[in-house]
Amino acid sequence: MHVKKLFTLVFIQKENEILLGLKKRGFGMNKWNGFGGKVEPNETIIDAAARELKEECCLIVKPGDLKNIAHLEFTFEGQPTLMDVRVFSTKIFEGTPKETEEMKPKWFDNDGVPFDDMWLDDKLWFPYLFQGKPFFGHFHYEGFDKILNYKIEEQVSMEAFYANRKLK
Ligand SMILES: Nc1[nH]c(=O)nc2c1ncn2[C@H]1C[C@H](O)[C@@H](COP(=O)(O)OP(=O)(O)OP(=O)(O)O)O1
């Protein structure tokens, strides 16, 4: 049995660009990633996603403009924790990305994403993100640099995915 911990992950997109942040500390340090973090008690997941985005790169999004596009699970060999990550994207935002203590933001062309400096799983599922296909992914790591096994399943919709998940 795993202990589930809930996280958010937000990708801000323009027509042919995506905003990533270089994580300056903590989990995933020195990797480019979307913006996100832990969901606090008494906070909705979507409010947590908007809060973390603002804290990490100073951009404002209305929670209602965040589209849930995927769900990711990460487990680590020998560890009891399951990272349960709800992934959102939007093209609607206010402000200019600013560097914070946690993240250094930068726009990348969709065909120039720095996969060599990202989590290994990202290059496996970014094609779904760019094609707007909802998906579920599970990745089982050994340490932080080796994926022992994984699955990626395209979904009809994320609503259907969560409805089905609740029944299990
Ligand atoms: N393998 C992976 N691939 C990926 O693309 N994103 C991942 C990932 N594993 C974790 N993430 C994301 C989820 C979440 O947005 C973020 C980790 O959350 P946090 O930044 O809150 O972690 P920290 O341990 O730094 O927490 P704080 O110290 O409380 O800021 O990394």
Side-chain angles (χ1 to χ4, degrees), residues 105-128:
K106 185 175 170 193
W107 289 102
F108 290 90
D109 286 343
N110 286 357
D111 56 11
V113 172
F115 288 118
D116 289 348
D117 298 316
M118 296 170 74
W119 284 100
L120 276 182
D121 56 276
D122 290 20
K123 62 167 157 298
L124 303 173
W125 54 261
F126 259 57
Y128 291 80

Side-chain angles (χ1 to χ4, degrees), residues 26-29 31 75-77 79 83 118-121 141-147:
F27 192 76
M29 185 171 157
K31 288 180 165 66
T75 49
F76 298 88
E77 188 68 11
Q79 306 270 337
M83 294 185 78
M118 296 170 74
W119 284 100
L120 276 182
D121 56 276
Y141 273 83
E142 181 177 69
F144 298 132
D145 299 314
K146 186 174 175 189
I147 295 173

Side-chain angles (χ1 to χ4, degrees), residues 7-9 11 23 25-27 33-38 52 56 72 74 76 83 85 102 119 121-122 125 141:
F7 292 82
T8 61
L9 186 60
F11 292 94
K23 191 102 188 304
R25 65 180 189 200
F27 192 76
N33 202 352
F35 303 89
K38 298 174 195 77
E52 287 280 351
E56 293 185 348
L72 296 170
F74 301 105
F76 298 88
M83 294 185 78
V85 184
E102 182 130 359
W119 284 100
D121 56 276
D122 290 20
W125 54 261
Y141 273 83

